[in-house]
Structures are given as C-alpha cells and as structure tokens.
C-alpha cells in the first residue's frame, strides 16, 4: 500500500471518528449513548461484520460521498486499502461499545470535550454559511490583475533531458586510469561514430540508466549534482560533454532535449487562482461579519474580576 493510499485510508478513518462524535452529540442531554443491541441482527445491506458490530452500505456510501472523486475512485480500485479501512472502522465500533459500557461519555471531562467539539462544529459551519462568496467571483479582471502581479510565481524552471555514461570511483582502478578511460569514451561519443546509447549500455556503471542507453530522464538543474549543473547549462542539445568528476565518479553527459524556462499562462493557473481568491474573499467576509457582531454592542471588561481569574490561587 503506497503512502498516498495509507493517507486516504486514515483520512476516511478520521471522517468515521467525526461521524461517531456527531452521533454522540445528537443523543439526549444526559449523553447516554444508545448503541445497537447485541441481540440485534445485522441489516441486509451490511457490507462487513465483526462480532455484533457491522457497517451498513448506507454508512459506507455516506463516507465515500465526502471524499473527492479521485480519492473515491482510488478506494474503489484498491480493495486491500478499502478492506483495511473496514477493519479499522469495525475495531473503532467495538472500542466505542466498550467505552459506553463503562459510562465513559458521562465523565465530566468527556462531557466538556463533547460540548467544546459541538461548539466548534456549530461555529465553523455557521460562519461558512454567512460568508459565502458570490458565484461570479473572481471576475476576469480580478484574475488577470492577480496573475500579472504574481507572474514570477508561475515560472516553470527549464527541464534538461540528460543521458550519461558513469564510471564509478571504487578503488579498483587508479584515479588517473579511470580519468583516461572516461576521456576515451567521451571522445568516441563526441565523434559520432559510435551511438551514445550503445556506449552507455556497454560501459556505464549506473546500471539502471545503462539499461535505457544512459537516459536518466528530465530533470531541473537543481535536481542534478552541483558539479554537472554548469556543464549542462552550457551544453547544446545533442552535444556530449567532456568527463565531469564528482565525488562518486566521472560523468559523460549528453543533452538530448531541453525544455526552456517558461511562464505558465493565465489559463493554466486559472483554477488555482480562482480557488485561492475565493478562499481569501471568504476569510475577509467572515472577519467582517465577526467584527460587525462585536461592534454592534458595547464591550465591557471587568479588570478586577479578570485579574482574579488570571492570578494563581493562593
């Protein structure tokens, strides 16, 4: 399971935990949770069971609906990841049952945490509802103005498509012997009589790239060794360099292609800009709304009472 999948699985688990919390908060004022009876049988559409615990198809569909389409599709396509989430969710349900059996939700500190969580959910969802951004914002003029003002942020660095023949410094040959071999290979590659890929496949000691004729792919200069950067920056497409020595060996480089640095167009960054501008505007609306609530009535602070609270008890 890759890291991204694990992140998604635990993200769903977190959503499940929130769902459980909300369910607890919606119970009666005494906070006694009414869990499913152990005698109650699982519904027909239960997709997973663990003892007397089960996950209904409705619950799974609800949680999946909260995810972005890409994440939802990845879970559909990754059965092991989905199975792992189902296992974790059922374990959570059993844990919740144990906590309820011990009257855990009746503990004062848990009651306070539930109250605080409820308050934050209400505040967050309400402020979201009163700070909605108009559908037509930002307009084209706003987008273009922000794009032009931040144009430097949309620059894509040059991409160098590089192949190499690598001779490693491993102690089996003297440095002079290895250098001489590197210059001989470079000369053969430069005269064009022998194909570079052929030489790399035969002589390069970087076996992974050697299998591809020396091709190490497209890289930004910053992704390459400091010793080879200035050499590649001066190399013309199709040219082969003199051997470049690094701490690990000698590199004979061929620049097979170059994608120059460029600035992304407004259309390419439009969605990113729209999302950022809408989020900023919503924050501004929310802040103005909160300030309006505070400024609509007179604020009074009892300094003496406040000091009494802040001072440590004697």
């Amino acid at each position: 399971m890759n890291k991204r999948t694990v992140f998604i699985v635990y993200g769903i688990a977190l959503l499940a935990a929130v769902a459980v919390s909300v369910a607890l908060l919606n119970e009666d004022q005494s906070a006694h949770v009414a869990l499913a009876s152990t005698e109650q049988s699982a519904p027909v559409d239960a997709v997973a069971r663990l003892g007397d615990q089960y996950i209904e198809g409705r619950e799974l569909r609800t949680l999946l609906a909260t995810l972005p389409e890409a994440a939802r599709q990845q879970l559909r396509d990754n059965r092991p990841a989905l199975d792992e989430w189902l296992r974790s969710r059922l374990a959570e349900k059993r844990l919740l049952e144990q906590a309820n059996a011990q009257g855990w939700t009746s503990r004062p500190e848990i009651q306070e945490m539930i109250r605080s969580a409820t308050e934050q959910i209400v505040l967050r969802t309400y402020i979201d509802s009163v700070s909605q951004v108009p559908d037509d914002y930002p307009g084209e003029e706003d987008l273009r103005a922000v794009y032009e003002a931040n144009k430097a942020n949309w620059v894509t660095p040059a991409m160098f498509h590089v192949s190499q023949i690598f001779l490693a410094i491993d102690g089996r040959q003297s440095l002079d012997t290895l250098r001489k071999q590197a210059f001989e290979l470079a000369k053969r590659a430069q005269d064009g009589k022998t194909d570079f890929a052929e030489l790399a496949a035969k002589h390069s000691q970087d076996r992974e790239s050697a299998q591809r004729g020396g091709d190490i792919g497209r890289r930004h200069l910053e992704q390459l060794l400091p010793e080879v950067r200035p050499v590649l920056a001066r190399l013309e497409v199709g040219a082969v360099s003199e051997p470049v020595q690094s701490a690990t060996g000698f590199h004979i480089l061929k620049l097979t292609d170059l994608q120059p640095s460029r600035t992304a167009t407004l259309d390419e960054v439009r969605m990113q800009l729209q999302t950022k501008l809408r989020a900023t505007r919503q924050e501004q609306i929310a802040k103005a709304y909160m300030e309006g609530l505070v400024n609509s009535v007179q604020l009074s602070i009892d300094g003496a009472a406040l000091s009494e609270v802040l001072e440590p008890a004697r």
Side-chain angles (χ1 to χ4, degrees), residues 44-299:
V44 175
D45 71 339
V47 295
R49 297 178 177 83
L50 180 66
D52 58 332
Q53 300 298 335
Y54 55 86
I55 296 174
E56 297 179 72
R58 177 182 57 182
E59 178 182 357
L60 181 57
R61 283 191 292 271
T62 299
L63 287 168
L64 288 175
T66 65
L67 296 174
E69 176 56 33
R72 196 158 54 237
Q73 189 59 48
Q74 185 171 1
L75 272 176
R76 290 195 188 103
D77 297 340
N78 192 331
R79 181 58 184 274
L82 188 55
D83 289 352
E84 181 63 28
W85 175 79
L86 291 171
R87 186 179 295 107
S88 298
R89 181 71 186 99
L90 288 166
E92 287 176 352
K93 287 194 169 192
R94 295 208 71 181
L95 185 63
L96 181 60
E97 183 180 45
Q98 290 180 6
N100 181 69
Q102 296 180 29
W104 200 258
T105 57
S106 299
R107 296 167 67 100
E109 66 272 25
I110 304 302
Q111 284 286 300
E112 177 59 25
M113 291 171 69
I114 291 174
R115 184 202 64 75
S116 179
T118 303
E119 183 178 275
Q120 290 304 312
I121 291 171
V122 171
L123 287 173
R124 186 174 63 252
T125 55
Y126 183 71
I127 195 64
D128 283 348
S129 73
V130 297
S131 60
Q132 292 299 303
V133 179
D135 292 340
D136 60 354
Y137 180 83
E140 189 65 23
E141 288 186 8
D142 296 314
L143 281 173
R144 187 164 295 280
V146 174
Y147 170 78
E148 293 294 340
N150 297 275
K151 215 166 187 178
N153 297 332
W154 313 119
V155 175
T156 302
M159 293 285 286
F160 294 77
H161 194 172
V162 184
S163 294
Q164 74 165 349
I165 300 171
F166 175 68
L167 301 180
I169 299 174
D170 56 12
R172 289 180 292 182
Q173 299 182 76
S174 69
L175 195 59
D176 287 342
T177 300
L178 199 62
R179 182 181 292 107
K180 182 179 179 181
Q181 182 183 353
F183 272 92
E184 289 174 351
L185 285 170
K187 184 177 180 180
R188 292 175 61 186
Q190 289 167 345
D191 65 21
K193 294 179 180 179
T194 308
D195 183 62
F196 188 94
E198 198 177 307
L199 286 172
K202 184 176 180 180
H203 298 284
S204 180
Q205 293 171 354
D206 176 10
R207 300 317 306 168
E208 184 177 348
S209 64
Q211 294 173 0
R212 301 189 297 270
D215 187 358
I216 64 172
R218 296 180 182 275
R219 310 285 178 88
H220 300 304
L221 277 183
E222 292 73 16
Q223 296 175 302
L224 298 167
L225 293 172
E227 295 87 349
V228 308
R229 294 173 193 170
V231 177
L232 277 174
R234 296 191 300 268
L235 211 59
E236 294 184 1
V237 174
V240 177
S241 73
E242 294 294 317
V244 180
Q245 184 177 348
S246 71
T248 56
F250 290 90
H251 309 258
I252 302 164
L253 308 166
K254 179 178 181 179
L255 182 59
T256 60
D257 191 25
L258 173 63
Q259 179 180 307
S261 175
R262 59 181 290 271
T263 301
T265 66
L266 174 56
D267 284 339
E268 289 173 322
V269 299
R270 183 179 299 276
M271 291 299 296
Q272 184 179 345
L273 268 180
Q274 285 176 335
T275 300
K276 183 177 180 179
L277 288 175
R278 288 184 65 82
T280 300
R281 176 56 60 89
Q282 185 166 27
E283 289 177 5
Q284 294 170 344
I285 296 173
K287 182 180 179 182
Y289 188 88
M290 292 293 293
E291 289 176 348
L293 291 177
V294 173
N295 295 334
S296 63
V297 293
Q298 184 176 357
L299 175 65

